[in-house]
Amino acid sequence: MRPIELSERLGRWSSGRGPLYVLLAARMRRLIDDGELPAGALLPPDRALAGALAVGRTTVVAAYELLRSEGRITRRQGSGTRVAGVPSGAAVEDAPVDPIFLDSLESHDDGVLLAICAAPEDPPPQVAEAYARIVPELGKISGDIGYYPYGVPVLREAIARRYAEYGVPTVPEQILVSNGGQQALSLLAHTLLSPGDQVLVEAPTYPGALEAFREGAAVLRGLPVGLEGFEAAVRERRPALAYVIPTYHNPTGSVLSPLARQRLARAAAAADVPLIEDEVPADLGFPGEPRLKPLAAYSDAVISVGSLSKSIWGGLRIGWVRAPAPLVTRLARVRAVHDLGGNVPTQLAAAHLVTQLDDLGLPQELETRHDHLHALLAEHLPTWHVPPVRGGQTLWARLPHGDGNSFAQSALRHSLAILPGTGLDVTGASDPYLRLHFRATPEALTEAVARLTTAWSTYHPPAARVHPRPTIAI
């Protein structure tokens, strides 16, 4: 097990009270007892793990010795440190390794300021109003068991109309409603991929997509943002699938030009490679920014994924897939096995909310918070390279030295949970980066930068690594 893999599984291990070695041993003990570190697993050497966690070697040695005395690990000269045993039937591969998923499973009452998952923290008043509006509709339901694997018809119709408004003629039969965008990606991976299939992804990209494809045992191949070099990669790799975020890319905030969109969509069609277009951030443009046509406007080979999680509230758990009707039918069959069709009241409320997406006042709020965070970073951390963006919800920060993973561990000990770039990039090239989001309140962003600044002032990277400033914004 590589040090980074273990450090990602450890989560917010150092946020409690007590000596660091005790906290580290306690979290590893839990992973062993829960079966996430299986019997016989080779653990990282002392120095390697210490470097990944940005702690002294003595902290790791003491934690290992404590676990050894309990019989949970063995340490032998020449054969390394291994897990001694776990309950039968447990397997490390069954658990998600991405920090976004692990962080959602942590307790949120430990004083740690969360800066990992980028999403609205409060539902807008329109959510409560939409639920109030559907009460009479629910009262009229009769002779309907409420199982809709494709989604409630009125919501499918509303989503189809929205695509048509943005230049993509769509009928409801091309829409499948899912429990959030993450389920949409999982359904597509389950339906379109077989073990060993190759998938082209941007490097970096949304880590939830990487986890969905990995769950399907796919082999991930990274290309520059925008899937630059797509045609050559198709000839070389013969991929089963490709995935792109063309509008306010997560995490860099970049936007693919209309010409590049057209070329990519048509190249995918010519190569007969299904292209997943993640449109979840597409509604997050700042005031005055034009709404570009989706890639689906240029080719039927494009499969669009959308969600209300970033534009309204993650608690709604409403996502969707726009695809050719035969693929939607296949997805519905897979989806029915998992949950039969989702929550009907929530979908009825979402049908009202979809029509209000352009009237929520979100662009101005996002721009204000972006400007606030960017100004604070420029003032307090001037050696960091943080290009501004014109939409989305994240900044892609490059450290002048060190690496994102070990610095995230240092920030955690100052009660700030941040997302290092390693988990977003299958090529490993985003090691010096952090993803910072600006969805929090200005007060929370101010406190986050204060903790970042304190953590940076005490940060000692595991090796002398200096990263020159890029000559162009990434």
Side-chain angles (χ1 to χ4, degrees), residues 157-391:
E157 293 168 3
I159 295 171
R161 283 196 301 271
R162 185 164 177 81
Y163 273 104
E165 291 170 2
Y166 286 108
V168 188
T170 304
V171 295
E173 290 75 18
Q174 292 177 270
I175 301 296
L176 177 129
V177 178
S178 61
N179 287 333
Q182 187 63 39
Q183 188 190 56
L185 290 172
S186 295
L187 289 171
L188 286 167
H190 185 93
T191 304
L192 298 176
L193 295 176
S194 298
D197 280 349
Q198 298 209 20
V199 178
L200 300 180
V201 299
E202 296 169 291
T205 191
Y206 168 55
L210 301 181
E211 289 296 329
F213 302 144
R214 286 178 179 135
E215 188 177 4
V219 178
L220 305 183
R221 303 294 183 183
L223 295 177
V225 172
L227 292 183
E228 181 181 341
F230 175 82
E231 292 177 84
V234 167
R235 290 192 297 269
E236 179 183 355
R237 302 292 183 182
R238 297 185 180 277
L241 192 66
Y243 171 79
V244 66
I245 310 174
T247 309
Y248 309 123
H249 175 262
N250 180 357
T252 67
S254 66
V255 178
L256 207 58
S257 71
L259 180 58
R261 289 167 187 254
Q262 182 176 342
R263 287 176 174 171
L264 178 59
R266 292 181 176 175
D272 196 26
V273 175
L275 176 62
I276 297 178
E277 171 191 24
D278 190 332
E279 285 199 291
V280 172
D283 290 310
L284 306 181
F286 295 167
E289 293 299 311
R291 177 69 177 249
L292 300 183
K293 284 186 177 182
L295 270 68
Y298 303 105
S299 169
D300 291 336
V302 175
I303 302 165
S304 301
V305 170
S307 170
L308 298 182
S309 297
K310 309 305 182 185
S311 53
I312 296 184
W313 186 47
L316 281 172
R317 306 314 309 141
I318 292 291
W320 57 84
V321 175
R322 181 207 176 272
L327 176 56
V328 168
T329 298
R330 292 172 61 193
L331 293 171
R333 290 171 179 168
V334 174
R335 192 264 176 89
V337 174
H338 293 278
D339 64 4
L340 295 178
N343 185 288
V344 170
T346 296
Q347 292 184 54
L348 292 175
H352 293 286
L353 292 167
V354 166
T355 65
Q356 303 175 52
L357 279 174
D358 297 328
D359 303 315
L360 296 176
L362 181 63
Q364 184 62 58
E365 178 185 276
L366 282 175
E367 184 176 39
T368 298
R369 295 186 180 189
H370 163 273
D371 293 349
H372 182 73
L373 176 59
H374 193 268
L376 288 173
L377 292 171
E379 177 183 356
H380 296 284
L381 295 163
T383 61
W384 290 22
H385 182 71
V386 190
V389 298
R390 291 303 303 159

Side-chain angles (χ1 to χ4, degrees), residues 394-417:
T394 59
L395 294 175
W396 192 229
R398 182 182 176 93
L399 303 178
H401 61 265
D403 65 276
N405 194 70
S406 64
F407 178 66
Q409 293 291 329
S410 296
L412 186 60
R413 290 194 287 281
H414 291 83
S415 298
L416 179 67

Side-chain angles (χ1 to χ4, degrees), residues 124-134 352-353 356:
Q126 287 88 345
V127 173
E129 294 168 4
Y131 273 93
R133 290 179 65 181
I134 69 167
H352 293 286
L353 292 167
Q356 303 175 52

Side-chain angles (χ1 to χ4, degrees), residues 8 12 97-104 113-118 204-208 210-211 250-251 310 384 394-399 403-409 411-412 416-425 430-437 452:
E8 288 173 345
R12 302 205 302 270
V97 300
D98 188 83
I100 286 181
F101 298 110
L102 293 178
D103 191 72
S104 68
L113 188 60
L114 305 178
I116 289 183
C117 186
T205 191
Y206 168 55
L210 301 181
E211 289 296 329
N250 180 357
K310 309 305 182 185
W384 290 22
T394 59
L395 294 175
W396 192 229
R398 182 182 176 93
L399 303 178
D403 65 276
N405 194 70
S406 64
F407 178 66
Q409 293 291 329
L412 186 60
L416 179 67
I418 55 177
L419 188 63
T422 51
L424 289 75
D425 191 332
S430 294
D431 188 53
Y433 287 87
L434 302 171
R435 194 191 79 170
L436 305 174
H437 78 77
L452 271 180

